[in-house]
Amino acid sequence: MNRRQFLQSAAALAGGIFVADAAIEARGLTVTRHDVASPTLPPGLDGMRIAHLTDLHLPCAAADRAAETIEAEEPDLVVITGDTISRKGELELVTPYVARVRGRFGTLAVRGNNDHWAHVPLSTLANAYAAGGATLLDNRHAIVQFNGARLQIVGLDDPSVGHPDVNAALRGSDATLPTLWLLHAPAFIDRIVRSPPAVPRALLVQIGRAHV
């Protein structure tokens, strides 16, 4: 299975999904909304609303606008796919920002290349997210409960400057659960599909900008 096939197999949740990419800094905010269905979606997850933030590069006026949108929309789940900060001095911005954009049932994040270049230790960055009510998934997975159903989220480290480890991320996971994958760079998908045969089928893949 190649990258295209893996992505084509990823059907999104039957609810609203909107994406904000603040990579253009203060020059603009792009919000897209998707309402798509999956024939394998558990009834309990029907209607779950996910907000996807990526490449925030705090501080950023567009990221502030994204936070305002999320505060107004009150999504069920918020995911952040890397490049939240670019410099060590910006670490103090993570906790208050994350506290503004929390999902009703969970907020999960992964690291991007710029998060690594900020030279902030993983534990320190994870603590900053936790203080704001979010979980940083670095080659780990988590379970979100929604309407009596369970959604599994797998988060991988950035492949360009980090060390993504699919085996570690899936340790103790349930291959039968609907699974959301989070990663910063899409090219790593080619390596995911060659990994263990027990890799959970992707219900949805959410990535950062189109790094190659």
Side-chain angles (χ1 to χ4, degrees):
M1 184 182 291
N2 59 28
R3 187 190 318 172
R4 172 179 286 185
Q5 291 169 326
F6 186 80
L7 288 170
Q8 286 176 339
S9 75
L13 302 181
I17 301 170
F18 61 94
V19 182
D21 186 338
I24 309 177
E25 299 295 335
R27 287 178 288 170
L29 170 70
T30 300
V31 177
T32 63
R33 299 173 187 271
H34 309 272
D35 187 0
V36 293
S38 166
T40 62
L41 188 74
L45 295 180
D46 186 21
M48 187 180 196
R49 300 171 67 243
I50 301 175
H52 176 195
L53 292 167
T54 191
D55 295 83
L56 295 166
H57 296 284
L58 301 175
C60 172
D64 288 336
R65 289 181 55 205
E68 292 171 359
T69 300
I70 288 178
E71 288 171 329
E73 295 279 349
E74 297 184 337
D76 302 309
L77 177 66
V78 172
V79 297
I80 304 171
T81 54
D83 283 5
T84 300
I85 59 174
S86 303
R87 298 176 181 83
K88 193 171 186 177
E90 295 160 354
L91 175 66
E92 64 183 20
L93 303 176
V94 173
T95 297
Y97 187 85
V98 168
R100 292 182 63 192
V101 299
R102 284 183 297 182
R104 295 171 60 236
F105 294 89
T107 307
L108 301 161
V110 294
R111 289 191 293 175
N113 53 299
N114 279 274
D115 299 304
H116 279 274
W117 290 336
H119 299 295
V120 174
L122 173 60
S123 60
T124 302
L125 184 59
N127 287 339
Y129 273 104
T135 300
L136 180 62
L137 295 178
D138 195 81
N139 299 322
R140 296 169 51 207
H141 69 277
I143 303 292
V144 172
Q145 303 276 350
F146 180 78
N147 288 343
R150 295 190 298 164
L151 175 66
Q152 183 169 250
I153 298 95
V154 177
L156 297 176
D157 192 11
D158 177 70
S160 61
V161 295
H163 301 282
D165 188 334
V166 176
N167 289 296
L170 295 180
R171 193 170 296 125
S173 65
D174 187 341
T176 68
L177 288 178
T179 300
L180 172 68
W181 290 78
L182 306 180
L183 62 159
H184 185 63
F188 190 71
I189 291 172
D190 290 332
R191 281 175 274 177
I192 292 177
V193 297
R194 299 192 189 104
S195 291
V199 170
R201 184 177 178 85
L203 183 69
L204 180 66
V205 178
Q206 293 185 285
I207 59 175
R209 289 192 293 144
H211 292 266
V212 294

